[in-house]
Structures are given as structure tokens and as C-alpha cells.
Amino acid sequence: MSDRFVDRYLALMYNPGMEIKYREKKWEMKAGMTARDALKKIGVDPESVLITINGKLVTDDALLKDTDQVKLVAVVSGG
Amino acid sequence: MRCKKCNTDAVINMRHHRLALCGTHYDEWVLAQTDRAIEKYKMFTHDERILVAVSGGKDSLSLWDALLRLGYQADGLYIGLGINDPEPYSDVSLEKTRAFVASDVWRVPTTESDVTSPGTRHTPLLHVVDIEQTYGKTIPQIAREKARGQGRPCAACGLTKRYVMNRIAHDKGYAVLATGHNLDDEVAVLFQNTMRWQTGYLARQAPVLPASREGLTRKVKPFVRFYERETATYALVRGIDYIYDECPHAVGNLTNFYKTLLNQLETESPGSKLAYYLEFLRARSEGLFEKFNPTTELHDCEVCGQPTTAPGRCAFCRMWDVSALVQ
């Protein structure tokens, strides 16, 4: 059984939820989905943000766990 | 997702290149691609002095960092626009720029691609031009007063920045002016010009604008092949502390609207933005827009001496009511 499968199983079984922050907004989400699925749910285009989990840059296939602090960084800045 | 080179955790997946990389290998890749673009478009050499227009944002600070690490003689120019209402945007931008110069970020070699050791690397100068101190008003103030700026501070801001950048580069003897424009910036402008078939603008959009005349400095865009998310990733990987906020006057403008549309297209069809831009450059290099780029006779501005299309005062001197050269 792969680690990824175990992670997903545990996340779904023991799932108090996690939080995604983007600019001034916050969303409560269930853990166990990928970052890309979470972005889709909250209506954020994955091209327009970078994803950090617990301060670490990740790709959008990263699995979100209940202890994760997810922060989205807008790629558009400056002027 | 795993790094294609070392199989550790990737920090970025570039679907248009089918390439996922970890922080270390992404850092190397950005430096290599930057150097490649500089050579491909014949932007500048290691013997030339380069002035980088820096805003405190991710693109310009990342560009400056990359050029220094690649061994180029790159100095910075920060233009204080006086945009500090409702938030101190300009003040924070300058603070971030100064912090970058004072920091160790650009001094530390992190990969084998660093061609210069910290000891031999160029020590950058930062030139700061404060618009209010130099010309008596901030950008929001001049934009409120003048027809060019009414409801469109970006027009007054763009004219002022282009003028100051060219003047400082010329007066201080820089061979080249480099800006941090990325592919998303270029594609948004291309889309805007294509929607309206602005053939004259299309003819002049390029990674390098040559110095066609005495008084004009060559302008280059070394990050022109990087997506905006790639320059942001480079800044985060390098630990560059940049201003995250957009200019308050840029929020909701047409360029950002086009960027949003093009990102939606990219999400559904990876590589669309890159193909759109590269195929445009190919068509341009084959002369598709050549007849729309007639040589315009330029005159010296009677006040500042900078090149201008119409005789008399240039657009900058007219907007700022400059009647004598400001030093």
C-alpha cells in the first residue's frame, strides 16, 4: 500500500478540517483532497497562485492534511 | 510531484514545459534560461553596464538577483512615485528594494550555476529618483491635474517612468536598461493589441528595443520567456522579500483583466500563452509587421533634449510643465 494512499485514508477518517488563507480571505476545508481540488472548490485559478503548505512551496497535486496551514500567494504583484 | 532531475519534492510544475523541479534545480534552470534569453536575443554582454528598473516587486528584484549571480554589471534604478494612499505602497516598495541591496541574498551562491564567486561579483549601486522631490508633485497629484492622467493615473505614471528610466540610463552612461517584464505581461499587451489590431504597437513589441538614436537607451526584457508564476517561484526559492501587493491603481485594470482571461485559457490548455507569444515573435521576425513600423523622424525636446516625435517640448515636459531642465 503506498504512503500516498495511507495518507489519503487517514485524512478522510480523522478529518477535523483545515484552513486555506488567500489575501484577506479564509476558507475552512475538509482535508484529504489535493490542493488543486481545493482551489477548484474555492474558485481560484491554479495559474494565478502559488501554494505553500506550512511555509513550504508545493505543487498542486499535494494532498492536504488536517494539520496543514495552507497559504496561497498571488502571482500578480507590483505595478 | 517529484523533481525530474533528483526525484525529491518539486516546488513547481511547469506544465507547458512538462517539467517539475525542486528548489535547487529550479534555481539552476532559471539562471540557465535567463542567460540563454540574453544570448538568444543579443541583449547585452558581460562588458556592458546594465541599469535594472526595480520596483520592489518579484520580477524586478528577481531579475536583478539573477543578473548579479550571472556575473553582469547590473545596478538598480528605483523611481519613487509617491503612491502612498490609502496604503504606503511606494514607501514599502523602496524599503523592500533597499533591503534587497543591503541583504546577503544576491551575494550567496546557492548552486553550481553561479558563475561568479561572491568575492568577484559586481557590487550593485541603487539610484533613487523621487518624483515629488524632483518635479514637485507625486504621480497621483499630476494625474488628477492633467488630461493625460484624468481617471488614468497609469498613463501619467508610464510616461514618467519611461522618461526617467531613459534619462538616468543615458546620463549615467549605462549601455542597457533592463526591465522585469515577464511573459504574462507581454502576452497581456499582445492580446490587447491584437484585439484592436494595433499594428504599430505590434510592430514595436519585442524582447529588445534597440537604441535607434543618440539619447535613447537600448531596452531589454531578459525574463520575457518566464511565466509570472515562475518569477514568483524564483523569488520565494531565493528568499527575496518583495512587495506582495499590487499597485492600488493597477487593481482591476485592463491588463490584469486580460491576464485573468489568459490564465483561464492556460489552465485548460497548458502552453497556450507561451505558444501565442513565441509564434508572434516568429511572425514578427519574418517581417509580418514590418510595414507597420515606419521610421519616425525624432526631434530633440527644446527643454530636456530627449528625443521626441513632435518638435517643441516632449510629452513629459508638457505634462509636468517643465520649462527648464531639472537636474
Side-chain angles (χ1 to χ4, degrees):
Chain A
M1 199 179 300
S2 72
D3 289 348
R4 192 176 168 78
F5 180 83
V6 172
D7 283 348
R8 192 169 188 115
Y9 176 78
L10 290 173
L12 287 169
M13 289 298 290
Y14 308 101
N15 193 350
M18 39 76 61
E19 194 176 70
I20 299 179
K21 290 184 186 171
Y22 180 42
R23 292 183 166 143
E24 307 302 314
K25 293 181 186 169
K26 288 179 186 175
W27 292 267
E28 292 287 336
M29 304 288 286
K30 283 187 177 175
M33 67 175 80
T34 65
R36 192 176 184 86
D37 289 340
L39 292 182
K40 201 171 179 182
K41 270 190 179 274
I42 63 177
V44 172
D45 188 335
E47 272 303 308
S48 67
V49 291
L50 302 180
I51 306 157
T52 66
I53 298 181
N54 306 324
K56 200 176 143 194
L57 260 178
V58 298
T59 50
D60 63 6
D61 63 335
L63 199 62
L64 305 182
K65 298 176 199 154
D66 56 30
T67 54
D68 286 340
Q69 296 286 316
V70 182
K71 193 178 162 196
L72 306 179
V73 179
V75 300
V76 178
S77 67
Chain B
M1 195 163 290
R2 298 287 177 171
C3 173
K4 191 176 181 180
K5 292 197 171 179
C6 69
N7 210 33
T8 58
D9 287 342
V11 297
I12 187 166
N13 177 27
M14 295 173 283
R15 295 193 299 160
H16 48 294
H17 295 311
R18 296 184 183 181
L19 181 64
L21 293 171
C22 67
T24 304
H25 286 116
Y26 181 66
D27 185 24
E28 287 183 0
W29 181 84
V30 169
L31 286 186
Q33 292 297 314
T34 304
D35 223 15
R36 195 175 151 205
I38 291 166
E39 281 181 27
K40 179 180 173 65
Y41 298 114
K42 297 180 176 56
M43 292 183 174
F44 45 77
T45 67
H46 281 91
D47 297 327
E48 292 180 303
R49 292 174 65 229
I50 301 144
L51 185 63
V52 183
V54 284
S55 66
K58 66 184 188 307
D59 300 303
S60 56
L61 291 184
S62 294
L63 173 63
W64 200 4
D65 178 70
L67 294 183
L68 290 168
R69 295 173 71 207
L70 288 165
Y72 291 103
Q73 303 173 58
D75 292 332
L77 167 64
Y78 176 86
I79 303 174
L81 304 166
I83 299 171
N84 286 312
D85 184 30
E87 301 294 329
Y89 176 77
S90 289
D91 288 351
V92 174
S93 303
L94 177 57
E95 199 179 292
K96 300 278 186 194
T97 305
R98 285 203 162 122
F100 171 78
V101 180
S103 74
D104 286 333
V105 169
W106 55 271
R107 297 172 213 266
V108 181
T110 53
T111 73
E112 292 174 4
S113 297
D114 280 7
V115 295
T116 55
S117 66
T120 60
R121 198 170 291 170
H122 174 72
T123 302
L125 288 172
L126 174 64
H127 305 282
V128 177
V129 175
D130 186 283
I131 294 298
E132 187 177 18
Q133 280 177 15
T134 312
Y135 298 104
K137 292 185 179 84
T138 64
I139 289 294
Q141 285 169 341
I142 195 78
R144 276 195 295 271
E145 289 176 16
K146 298 292 174 176
R148 179 181 283 268
Q150 276 178 3
R152 300 181 304 150
C154 300
C157 186
L159 172 66
T160 304
K161 285 196 289 193
R162 284 193 298 276
Y163 177 90
V164 172
M165 288 190 293
N166 188 66
R167 183 172 158 196
I168 297 295
H170 177 261
D171 290 356
K172 297 198 179 291
Y174 288 95
V176 188
L177 175 73
T179 56
H181 289 96
N182 57 49
L183 188 133
D184 289 57
D185 296 325
E186 292 299 297
V187 166
V189 170
L190 176 60
F191 188 66
Q192 189 169 349
N193 291 336
T194 308
M195 288 291 284
R196 297 174 184 193
W197 291 115
Q198 300 268 24
T199 49
Y201 290 149
L202 288 168
R204 290 191 291 276
Q205 186 176 356
V208 177
L209 290 176
S212 54
R213 179 188 197 278
E214 170 60 28
L216 287 176
T217 304
R218 188 187 337 147
K219 296 180 182 68
V220 299
K221 303 167 188 169
F223 274 4
V224 78
R225 292 174 73 126
F226 291 129
Y227 280 20
E228 193 143 38
R229 66 194 333 274
E230 293 166 9
T231 58
T233 300
Y234 178 81
L236 293 186
V237 166
R238 289 286 295 155
I240 295 170
D241 183 19
Y242 65 91
I243 185 161
Y244 282 65
D245 296 327
E246 280 179 84
C247 171
H249 297 296
V251 175
N253 70 10
L254 194 58
T255 302
N256 283 349
F257 174 65
Y258 286 144
K259 281 185 177 180
T260 303
L261 287 180
L262 290 159
N263 275 340
Q264 288 170 5
L265 179 64
E266 183 74 21
T267 300
E268 296 301 320
S269 176
S272 299
K273 291 189 294 192
L274 184 64
Y276 182 35
Y277 185 61
L278 294 184
E279 287 305 306
F280 160 71
L281 288 186
R282 187 183 58 77
R284 187 182 178 279
S285 71
E286 289 173 358
L288 188 65
F289 303 103
E290 217 159 88
K291 69 176 179 183
F292 302 112
N293 192 20
T295 311
T296 309
E297 191 190 350
L298 293 174
H299 310 266
D300 291 337
C301 169
E302 64 186 23
V303 177
C304 68
Q306 283 210 25
T308 179
T309 48
R313 289 192 297 171
C314 66
F316 176 88
C317 288
R318 285 201 309 275
M319 184 177 80
W320 284 92
D321 288 332
V322 179
S323 53
L325 183 58
V326 179
Q327 292 298 332

